[in-house]
């Protein structure tokens, strides 16, 4: 799996410090369990955070982050645990929420062949869902009222910004307007966390979005 789209440093630091809603924590944990690069950077931030907690008055040198990164190979990783409990296309953190693999998902149709399954997380202004989008299908053009993270688990989709395949993470905010199109072939399955409701341009999606909680 070649992952091209990663988490930003601010998001990794916010995740490490526990400042994000549960919905986004799940998407980040799932991506980190698949991505060696982001996992290494997260471990470096956690190592730095631990050093600050141990001696909050210690002056950190300019090379502290680089030194921690150089020692990543000596730190324990999640690889063994991920291999043990991942089921099919679902990374380990997602398995706990679904209760198993793809066959355990309780899908609900939202039209145009697209299905979703909203996962149970805390009510803190964000929600997370699994989406199954048939190959070649186009989602309605929409914007956002806050942060959105979409992790591809199977298949791929493209929009005006780029192409996103398995393991890739698209991060959108309230400045982004896009029309995702699933790549022809396998069903595109994504894990998506959103903050607030989507902003649809077309009338029909706006009419049904309260029903489907999007």
């Amino acid at each position: 799996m070649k992952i091209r789209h990663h988490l930003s440093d601010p998001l990794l630091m916010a995740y490490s410090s526990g400042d994000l809603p549960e919905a986004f924590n799940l998407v980040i944990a799932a991506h980190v369990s698949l991505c060696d690069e982001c996992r290494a950077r997260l471990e470096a931030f956690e190592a730095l955070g631990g050093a600050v907690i141990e001696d909050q008055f210690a002056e950190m040198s300019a090379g502290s982050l680089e030194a921690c990164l150089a020692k990543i190979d000596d730190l324990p990783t999640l690889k063994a645990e991920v291999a043990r409990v991942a089921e099919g296309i679902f990374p380990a953190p997602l398995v706990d929420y679904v209760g198993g693999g793809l066959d355990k998902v309780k899908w609900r149709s939202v039209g145009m062949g697209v299905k979703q399954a909203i996962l149970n997380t805390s009510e803190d202004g964000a929600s997370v869902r699994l989406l199954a989008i048939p190959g070649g299908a186009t989602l309605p053009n929409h914007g956002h009222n806050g942060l959105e993270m979409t992790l591809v688990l199977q298949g791929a989709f493209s929009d005006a910004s780029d192409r996103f395949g398995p393991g890739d993470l698209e991060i959108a905010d309230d400045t982004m307007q896009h029309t995702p199109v699933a790549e022809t072939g396998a069903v595109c399955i994504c894990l998506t966390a959103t903050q607030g409701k989507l902003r649809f341009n077309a009338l029909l999606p706006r009419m049904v979005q309260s029903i489907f909680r999007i």
Side-chain angles (χ1 to χ4, degrees), residues 21-180:
E22 183 181 356
F24 292 110
N25 283 338
L26 173 57
V27 177
I28 291 176
H31 175 77
V32 165
S33 73
L34 298 172
C35 179
D36 290 342
E37 177 181 322
C38 289
R39 183 164 57 250
R41 287 162 53 219
L42 176 62
E43 288 173 341
F45 288 131
E46 290 178 339
L48 282 174
V52 172
I53 291 172
E54 287 179 8
D55 188 357
Q56 57 182 310
F57 298 106
E59 184 175 337
M60 305 299 291
S61 67
S64 294
L65 178 58
E66 290 76 8
C68 285
L69 287 171
K71 295 180 179 179
I72 287 302
D73 289 340
D74 297 327
L75 294 174
T77 70
L78 300 173
K79 288 182 180 178
E81 183 66 11
V82 169
R84 185 176 69 80
V85 299
E87 293 198 22
I89 65 169
F90 285 178
L94 181 56
V95 170
D96 293 337
Y97 279 80
V98 175
L102 194 58
D103 60 322
K104 298 295 184 180
V105 179
K106 297 178 180 178
W107 296 107
R108 182 183 183 188
S109 175
V110 295
M112 301 179 298
V114 179
K115 298 183 292 184
Q116 74 168 5
I118 299 175
L119 304 182
N120 290 325
T121 55
S122 57
E123 298 291 334
D124 49 12
S127 60
V128 61
R129 70 200 67 221
L130 283 161
L131 291 173
I133 310 164
T138 300
L139 295 184
N141 180 270
H142 64 274
H144 310 87
N145 284 305
L147 181 64
E148 178 185 73
M149 291 184 192
T150 300
L151 173 65
V152 180
L153 301 172
Q154 174 183 286
F157 75 87
S158 299
D159 58 20
S161 65
D162 210 336
R163 176 187 182 274
F164 300 85
D168 283 335
L169 187 68
E170 182 176 48
I171 300 171
D173 60 20
D174 56 8
T175 66
M176 185 175 187
Q177 190 86 17
H178 62 160
T179 307

